[in-house]
Amino acid sequence: SVHVSGSMAAHRSGPLKQQNKAHKGGRHRGRGSAQRDGKGRLALKILSKKVRKELSRVDQRHRASQLRKQKKEAVLAEKRQLGSKDGPPHQILVVPLHDRISLPEAFRLLQDKDTGTVHFSEWGSTHSFMLLCPRLKHRWFFTSARPGELHTVLDMAKVADTILFLLDPLEGWDSTGDYCLSCLFAQGLPTYTLAVQGVSGLPPRKQIDARKKLSKTVEKRFPDDKLLLLDTQKEAEMLLRQLANQKQRHLAFRDRRAYLFAHTADFAPSEENNLVGTLKISGYVRGQTLNVNSLLHIIGQGDFQMKQIDAPMDPFPLNPRVIKSQKDPGMICVTDAVADMEEDLKVLMKADPDKQESLQTEVIPDPMEGEQTWPTEEELSEANDFLKKSSKVVKKVPKGTSSYQAEWILDEDGESDGEDEYDDMEHEDFIEEESQVRNGSLGHFCVHGKEEEEEYETMTMGESVRDDLYDDNVDDEAEEKMLEKYKQERLQEMFPDEVDTPRDVAARIRFQKYRGLKSFRTSPWDPKENLPQDYARIFQFQNFTNTRKRLFKEIEEKEVEGAEVGWYVTLHVSEVPSSVYEYFKRGAPLIAFSLLPHEQKMSVLNMVVSRYSGNTEPVKAKEELIFHCGFRRFRASPLFSQHTAADKHKFQRFLTADVALVVTIYGPITFPPASVLLFKQNSNGMHSLIATGYLLSVDPDRMVIKRVVLSGHPFKIFTKMAVVRYMFFNREDVLWFKPVELRTKWGRRGHIKEPLGTHGHMKCSFDGKLKSQDTVLMNLYKRVFPKWTYDPYVPEPVPWMKSEISLSVPEVDMK
């Protein structure tokens, strides 16, 4: 036996010994240990980018405290500026949310002589006044609007610094007030305060219960907001202090533009035409510096150019100027600011015709742009060489196909070049009204007929009189139209996009502009083909997102010459219709916004909207609606389409209630963010809220694709073959649509093999056995475009009344 010693058998580890990771024991790995393990190695990302300086923990805390301090100072500076002697007056919109609330009583408490000096407005019938309070070093401008005057409330809320909502102590708000709140929330609320009027009028025992009940009601809409009282002089003073010290909430669309609420206005008609002239608007500049060369948009009236900006004396100084008399040093004279206005009037700046923004809203298409001279031999040889290089597939296209026609807005210099050529072909009207819905009636829709009238005659005298009066107020024609729309909407829900193949017109003629797609999601579709003539009138951005970023960066960083925020100025607005001044004199608010570059030009706007839950009336595509988009108000006929991330978006025939849709219209360019409200004008003149949302993009290339579905029925079924009928009614149609794929409601796929006979029967093969109850479908697609019905003028609606709201807009259940 050989003895082997233990020392010889032991394994000695070499220099490349395996190193197992030590157990971490629950401690998180710090930055230090990670750097030690890394042995100085740097990741690829850090090598290729600029190395960020790592701050120590003490420096990080110091930087955080510095940022906190800066933000706090910015908020305080904003509070000090608003309503101070240097800034614009603190504009407060008072909105009573209930019928029982007394506005004169609220104004009487706020207009106390001990608080400050009150200046009443001389123009119009709108209740407004200026309150100057040297003791609080603050000045307020109070305006008011009833919730029934919906457009006035929305317009005033666009420019108000704070909204003061007055609530009833028992109910809070009525149905009109609730509807008004829905519209204001959708538009975007600035800073607001809630005050209750009339608590002291209740019995002492009921006061505490009423306040508890009201707090629960208010919590639904305004969580974590305090309710202030407005019944005594002391409470009014506390309310003013609360208004002065509140942190301001910002609305993005107004912070990036200069805007002005008109305190006074004057009109000078032009020599040639009395209906048009120069409108002089006086008010305080807010938002941004106002440049005289930019365009001015007067809400509800349109876009205008400015001639000059004057800087008169501020008519409401917080501290009036004090002049000591030279003859008698003891005599002190307080000058009247208004009297000195004429003396101190100075022209701030005049418009420069070279720098002034143009009022051109549309591209004027040149009918000769597509014309071509006889080509030279060099051009012919170049064309032949090009044809040899690129082999083109020739396809049949509908008459009117042309190259892209829109005017481009390039990002480099912000100008547009009109060098795009397009073929001078005959353009067809691509927007067509189609009878997509079957002519039939659904069983569960009941029409009031003669039989029902006979039944009413057997009722008691009192009720029949009331019913006769009720019938007098019903518009039979409007009822019939509404019934037809409800039937169409229900058919669309039950049979989406299905249409009957016409018997009197060949299907290949009726659906000649439609095409089949292998896959709606992935099949290619050129956004520049078959554009309508209206696309020659619009502007398009080369890159909308980049242009927007550049403009917003300029607003933040670039110093603009013009009237500074807080200055009292007079704007000379040229070529304004006299009706604008008449409208202002009647007491309507006159509000002006300056436009950013390109915002007067027409393009295609896409907005994401959701159906307002309080309105269930069917709304069909291409119906005229009233839009509140950002600071604008206008009328247009929209298209509805699905809100998806694909390159093609399916057209929706109705505004559905369950999902968000995209609304597409021709309208003036507006840079988002901007809130959107859609209203519909009823037959009685009132405007009812249909949908709310926001502006998505300005993009004419967003493709809205309309689908029609032709349906057929299996007549004879073999293993994977079937004879299908009633999809077409002649042999030529079957041959024409032979390349288009078929599908069935139960998920089978197939295609047409051959026509059988002359009555439209066809042999089809499928990827599985067909059931006799199944329906064979063919999907056809066409791109659709909105109607050019943009109208900047919106008539004033009939004021909302509580009784009328219950007919159209159900009250929101507050329980």
Side-chain angles (χ1 to χ4, degrees):
S1 66
V2 181
H3 176 72
V4 181
S5 68
S7 61
M8 286 172 68
H11 170 72
R12 289 193 181 137
S13 61
L16 303 172
K17 178 186 172 186
Q18 175 184 326
Q19 298 220 348
N20 294 330
K21 284 182 181 176
H23 179 57
K24 289 195 176 70
R27 241 184 89 242
H28 287 295
R29 191 175 182 207
R31 195 188 293 120
S33 65
Q35 283 172 348
R36 278 196 299 280
D37 293 351
K39 302 283 193 297
R41 284 194 293 269
L42 288 174
L44 191 66
K45 278 183 183 176
I46 298 172
L47 284 171
S48 60
K49 287 183 180 177
K50 192 178 179 183
V51 181
R52 254 203 330 263
K53 192 180 177 186
E54 296 291 346
L55 295 173
S56 68
R57 190 163 292 175
V58 176
D59 290 338
Q60 280 177 357
R61 282 178 183 163
H62 179 64
R63 186 175 65 178
S65 70
Q66 289 283 80
L67 286 170
R68 269 201 309 274
K69 194 177 175 185
Q70 283 171 14
K71 283 181 181 175
K72 208 179 267 183
E73 281 173 358
V75 169
L76 283 168
E78 187 183 27
K79 277 186 193 173
R80 290 188 195 110
Q81 176 75 2
L82 185 65
S84 68
K85 60 182 173 58
D86 301 320
H90 191 146
Q91 188 160 331
I92 291 166
L93 171 63
V94 183
V95 181
L97 293 176
H98 203 284
D99 278 344
R100 288 199 289 262
I101 289 163
S102 167
L103 259 178
E105 177 61 23
F107 275 11
R108 188 186 63 76
L109 290 168
L110 293 165
Q111 292 165 359
D112 185 48
K113 296 287 184 286
D114 297 338
T115 314
T117 318
V118 178
H119 295 272
F120 291 100
S121 157
E122 293 172 11
W123 51 267
S125 61
T126 308
H127 301 290
S128 59
F129 65 92
M130 186 78 71
L131 177 64
L132 308 175
C133 183
R135 185 160 52 88
L136 294 173
K137 296 182 179 174
H138 211 84
R139 52 182 177 168
W140 285 273
F141 179 58
F142 285 90
T143 58
S144 66
R146 287 269 171 197
E149 301 159 359
L150 198 61
H151 287 324
T152 305
V153 174
L154 290 173
D155 289 349
M156 302 276 270
K158 288 179 175 85
V159 292
D161 296 311
T162 306
I163 300 180
L164 175 60
F165 290 116
L166 296 182
L167 309 179
D168 181 68
L170 297 173
E171 294 177 29
W173 48 74
D174 55 20
S175 55
T176 317
D178 185 61
Y179 178 68
C180 175
L181 283 175
S182 296
C183 297
L184 284 170
F185 270 90
Q187 180 177 266
L189 266 184
T191 318
Y192 62 87
T193 300
L194 307 173
V196 188
Q197 187 194 68
V199 174
S200 59
L202 297 173
R205 288 180 186 176
K206 289 187 178 178
Q207 284 184 14
I208 296 165
D209 290 343
R211 286 180 71 173
K212 279 182 184 176
K213 192 178 174 185
L214 185 61
S215 295
K216 279 188 179 178
T217 307
V218 169
E219 212 170 46
K220 299 281 191 295
R221 279 222 187 254
F222 303 99
D224 309 322
D225 279 317
K226 285 183 180 177
L227 290 169
L228 298 170
L229 300 176
L230 184 59
D231 286 324
T232 63
Q233 203 58 60
K234 196 174 183 183
E235 286 166 356
E237 198 166 318
M238 281 174 67
L239 180 63
L240 285 173
R241 285 184 186 277
Q242 161 71 10
L243 292 169
N245 295 322
Q246 244 179 329
K247 186 186 173 184
Q248 291 297 304
R249 292 173 65 171
H250 291 270
L251 293 178
F253 75 84
R254 76 180 187 191
D255 284 350
R256 293 196 173 96
R257 297 168 179 86
Y259 61 98
L260 177 139
F261 179 88
H263 285 264
T264 58
D266 194 17
F267 184 75
S270 63
E271 292 172 9
E272 300 87 29
N273 186 359
N274 285 339
L275 298 174
V276 178
T278 303
L279 182 67
K280 295 178 185 177
I281 308 173
S282 300
Y284 294 90
V285 180
R286 298 165 187 270
Q288 293 285 335
T289 304
L290 179 61
N291 190 297
V292 73
N293 293 318
S294 62
L295 293 178
L296 201 69
H297 176 80
I298 298 174
I299 293 180
Q301 306 296 337
D303 304 334
F304 304 97
Q305 286 181 329
M306 288 181 277
K307 283 182 185 174
Q308 69 180 54
I309 300 178
D310 297 340
M313 273 282 292
D314 189 339
F316 308 109
L318 194 58
N319 302 306
R321 288 192 299 174
V322 176
I323 301 169
K324 287 187 178 179
S325 173
Q326 291 177 350
K327 294 177 183 176
D328 185 2
M331 185 181 164
I332 294 171
C333 169
V334 179
T335 62
D336 185 7
V338 182
D340 282 2
M341 270 176 71
E342 296 302 319
E343 295 171 26
D344 293 344
L345 184 70
K346 60 174 184 284
V347 176
L348 203 63
M349 61 192 302
K350 289 197 173 187
D352 183 352
D354 299 332
K355 294 178 182 176
Q356 202 168 24
E357 285 277 346
S358 163
L359 274 171
Q360 186 192 357
T361 58
E362 298 174 23
V363 180
I364 300 161
D366 182 4
M368 301 300 289
E369 194 178 349
E371 288 293 320
Q372 202 173 10
T373 53
W374 191 257
T376 60
E377 286 184 16
E378 288 175 19
E379 286 172 339
L380 285 169
S381 61
E382 277 178 26
N384 285 331
D385 293 342
F386 181 71
L387 283 170
K388 284 172 191 172
K389 286 177 191 173
S390 61
S391 59
K392 286 188 177 180
V393 180
V394 179
K395 291 182 180 178
K396 271 191 176 181
V397 293
K399 198 166 88 173
T401 303
S402 71
S403 62
Y404 190 49
Q405 304 160 21
E407 184 81 356
W408 284 84
I409 297 172
L410 299 178
D411 194 32
E412 288 77 42
D413 53 359
E415 292 301 317
S416 50
D417 64 352
E419 294 174 11
D420 290 335
E421 290 184 8
Y422 62 91
D423 303 329
D424 186 34
M425 292 188 179
E426 188 181 339
H427 292 276
E428 293 183 18
D429 186 10
F430 278 77
I431 291 117
E432 59 174 8
E433 287 302 325
E434 300 168 353
S435 57
Q436 306 106 327
V437 187
R438 303 155 187 220
N439 297 325
S441 62
L442 292 175
H444 48 265
F445 280 100
C446 168
V447 183
H448 294 285
K450 290 181 182 176
E451 290 176 17
E452 292 189 1
E453 287 174 16
E454 286 168 14
E455 284 175 22
Y456 286 138
E457 285 171 12
T458 63
M459 293 181 187
T460 58
M461 193 62 193
E463 287 185 355
S464 69
V465 168
R466 278 211 301 274
D467 286 338
D468 289 343
L469 292 172
Y470 182 81
D471 283 343
D472 289 344
N473 295 327
V474 172
D475 185 353
D476 293 333
E477 196 178 334
E479 287 279 301
E480 283 296 319
K481 281 181 184 174
M482 188 58 69
L483 177 64
E484 187 58 36
K485 270 168 73 175
Y486 272 113
K487 282 158 70 173
Q488 288 181 9
E489 189 180 39
R490 183 61 60 87
L491 274 170
Q492 178 62 24
E493 285 171 16
M494 290 164 68
F495 308 103
D497 300 324
E498 282 192 44
V499 300
D500 286 340
T501 309
R503 303 290 299 272
D504 53 343
V505 182
R508 62 188 183 279
I509 305 290
R510 169 66 185 79
F511 302 114
Q512 64 181 343
K513 290 173 188 167
Y514 289 82
R515 66 181 75 174
L517 293 177
K518 178 78 176 166
S519 162
F520 182 78
R521 191 176 60 84
T522 59
S523 296
W525 194 310
D526 185 3
K528 301 287 190 278
E529 69 175 287
N530 283 2
L531 295 173
Q533 190 65 43
D534 284 336
Y535 263 51
R537 300 162 65 184
I538 63 167
F539 291 84
Q540 178 174 7
F541 291 91
Q542 197 178 37
N543 189 322
F544 177 70
T545 313
N546 286 1
T547 308
R548 179 176 166 272
K549 276 182 186 172
R550 181 176 56 80
L551 280 172
F552 286 2
K553 198 175 180 184
E554 278 178 16
I555 290 166
E556 284 174 21
E557 296 171 2
K558 204 173 174 184
E559 287 290 322
V560 181
E561 280 187 17
E564 299 283 338
V565 176
W567 289 5
Y568 186 82
V569 295
T570 301
L571 312 179
H572 294 247
V573 190
S574 51
E575 300 296 315
V576 180
S578 59
S579 58
V580 177
Y581 182 60
E582 295 298 323
Y583 180 69
F584 174 72
K585 278 206 299 188
R586 287 201 301 271
L590 194 65
I591 295 161
F593 272 83
S594 74
L595 298 180
L596 299 178
H598 313 304
E599 282 197 326
Q600 79 281 16
K601 296 170 183 171
M602 294 292 284
S603 191
V604 178
L605 272 62
N606 302 301
M607 309 160 180
V608 179
V609 300
S610 299
R611 191 76 200 251
Y612 170 57
S613 57
N615 194 303
T616 54
E617 185 188 332
V619 180
K620 207 175 174 184
K622 297 181 186 174
E623 274 188 57
E624 188 179 74
L625 298 177
I626 293 149
F627 286 75
H628 276 252
C629 179
F631 55 90
R632 275 193 169 99
R633 188 169 78 227
F634 55 85
R635 291 184 290 174
S637 301
L639 292 181
F640 305 132
S641 60
Q642 289 179 351
H643 183 32
T644 55
D647 63 336
K648 294 182 284 295
H649 311 272
K650 197 175 90 64
F651 170 76
Q652 296 289 100
R653 287 176 168 83
F654 287 89
L655 184 60
T656 51
D658 48 353
V659 288
L661 293 181
V662 174
V663 165
T664 303
I665 56 164
Y666 290 115
I669 292 166
T670 306
F671 290 101
S675 57
V676 171
L677 282 81
L678 269 64
F679 291 90
K680 189 176 177 196
Q681 184 159 344
N682 301 333
S683 54
N684 58 5
M686 293 191 296
H687 293 176
S688 53
L689 182 64
I690 294 291
T692 61
Y694 60 93
L695 181 63
L696 178 68
S697 65
V698 179
D699 182 15
D701 281 350
R702 188 180 188 278
M703 289 188 287
V704 179
I705 307 296
K706 183 183 201 169
R707 180 181 74 171
V708 297
V709 179
L710 306 182
S711 58
H713 302 276
F715 176 42
K716 294 174 184 173
I717 298 172
F718 309 103
T719 315
K720 286 190 177 180
M721 299 282 277
V723 177
V724 179
R725 62 179 175 179
Y726 303 146
M727 186 176 281
F728 303 110
F729 298 102
N730 60 64
R731 186 183 183 87
E732 291 77 17
D733 284 347
V734 177
L735 290 166
W736 179 268
F737 288 103
K738 193 178 173 183
V740 183
E741 190 184 34
L742 300 172
R743 66 179 183 87
T744 75
K745 284 197 174 178
W746 290 8
R748 300 268 74 90
R749 300 250 163 195
H751 59 275
I752 301 168
K753 294 286 280 183
E754 59 184 357
L756 299 172
T758 60
H759 293 287
H761 290 210
M762 55 194 186
K763 191 192 284 185
C764 306
S765 67
F766 293 91
D767 59 358
K769 187 162 171 37
L770 218 61
K771 298 279 191 297
S772 59
Q773 310 95 306
D774 209 348
T775 308
V776 180
L777 305 172
M778 178 184 282
N779 290 344
L780 298 172
Y781 301 94
K782 176 186 86 163
R783 186 175 175 189
V784 287
F785 301 92
K787 283 182 174 181
W788 193 293
T789 57
Y790 170 76
D791 183 1
Y793 175 70
V794 178
E796 276 300 302
V798 174
W800 277 97
M801 304 306 292
K802 188 174 180 178
S803 58
E804 289 168 332
I805 284 185
S806 58
L807 295 175
S808 301
V809 184
E811 289 192 31
V812 179
D813 187 13
M814 298 305 294
K815 291 177 185 175

